[in-house]
């Protein structure tokens, strides 16, 4: 299978449409004939990233690349970006983003997301710059599970 690239817009603040991108990805992965367990794990990870983008980052774009060996999901948001001094702690329990908008949560979100990603076999990371938003990436090797 050659690499297939899927791109989905994600609207910030739109909780009604939240989850649409992950649902569309799930249908495409089914059509491609990927194993059910791989589809389930990829959908969970995509949904987690999508919800964070909707709630905390004014939306953005989700890009999914699928081939025989891996799935790579990139969530590029329109948020304020993450200060470099916060990046090492981003996935720690009780990390809390400094947001002027008042949209701060419990401080558990990214640590729970990290646990979900690890549980489902994804490597992950983040690139960010203040004033330029962030890109979270999730990679699952061996899509033949």
């Amino acid at each position: 299978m050659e690499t297939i690239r899927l791109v989905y817009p994600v609207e910030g603040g739109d909780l009604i449409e939240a989850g649409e991108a992950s649902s569309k990805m799930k249908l495409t992965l089914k059509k491609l004939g990927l194993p059910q367990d791989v589809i389930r794990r990829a959908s969970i990870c995509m949904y987690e990233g999508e919800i964070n983008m909707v709630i905390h980052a004014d939306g953005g774009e989700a890009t999914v690349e699928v081939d025989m060996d891996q799935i790579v999901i990139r969530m590029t948001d329109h948020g304020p970006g993450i200060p470099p001094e916060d990046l090492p702690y981003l996935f720690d329990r009780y990390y809390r983003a400094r947001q002027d908008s008042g949209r701060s949560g419990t401080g558990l979100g990214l640590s729970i997301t990290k646990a979900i990603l690890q549980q489902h076999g994804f490597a992950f990371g983040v690139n960010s710059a203040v004033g330029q938003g962030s890109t979270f990436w999730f990679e699952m090797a061996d899509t033949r599970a």
Side-chain angles (χ1 to χ4, degrees):
M1 166 194 321
E2 65 184 55
T3 299
I4 296 172
R5 188 170 191 266
L6 312 167
V7 180
Y8 305 102
V10 176
E11 292 296 322
D14 189 350
L15 292 173
I16 302 297
E17 295 296 317
E20 282 296 310
S22 51
S23 293
K24 289 176 182 176
M25 181 200 69
K26 180 179 175 180
L27 290 174
T28 300
L29 296 180
K30 282 183 183 180
K31 289 178 186 176
L32 292 173
L34 270 68
Q36 184 66 31
D37 186 55
V38 169
I39 294 169
R40 180 183 59 80
R41 292 185 290 148
S43 297
I44 289 167
C45 292
M46 173 84 159
Y47 182 79
E48 287 294 320
E50 184 179 359
I51 289 299
N52 281 329
M53 231 185 344
V54 167
I55 295 171
H56 300 291
D58 299 322
E61 183 176 86
T63 304
V64 181
E65 293 177 351
V66 183
D67 64 30
M68 275 310 257
D69 299 318
Q70 68 180 355
I71 297 174
V72 178
I73 301 170
R74 284 183 187 80
M75 310 294 286
T76 302
D77 68 40
H78 302 306
I82 302 163
E85 64 271 15
D86 287 0
L87 283 173
Y89 310 105
L90 189 62
F91 289 99
D92 287 356
R93 193 172 178 141
Y94 300 115
Y95 167 82
R96 202 174 255 224
R98 290 177 260 164
Q99 292 187 352
D100 297 330
S101 66
R103 292 180 299 172
S104 184
T106 63
L108 293 171
L110 287 176
S111 64
I112 290 172
T113 299
K114 176 184 178 181
I116 290 168
L117 292 169
Q118 289 175 326
Q119 178 183 1
H120 292 288
F122 274 79
F124 56 90
V126 62
N127 296 317
S128 187
V130 174
Q132 297 179 17
S134 303
T135 298
F136 287 83
W137 59 267
F138 318 115
E139 180 179 322
M140 179 172 51
D142 193 10
T143 57
R144 297 170 290 223

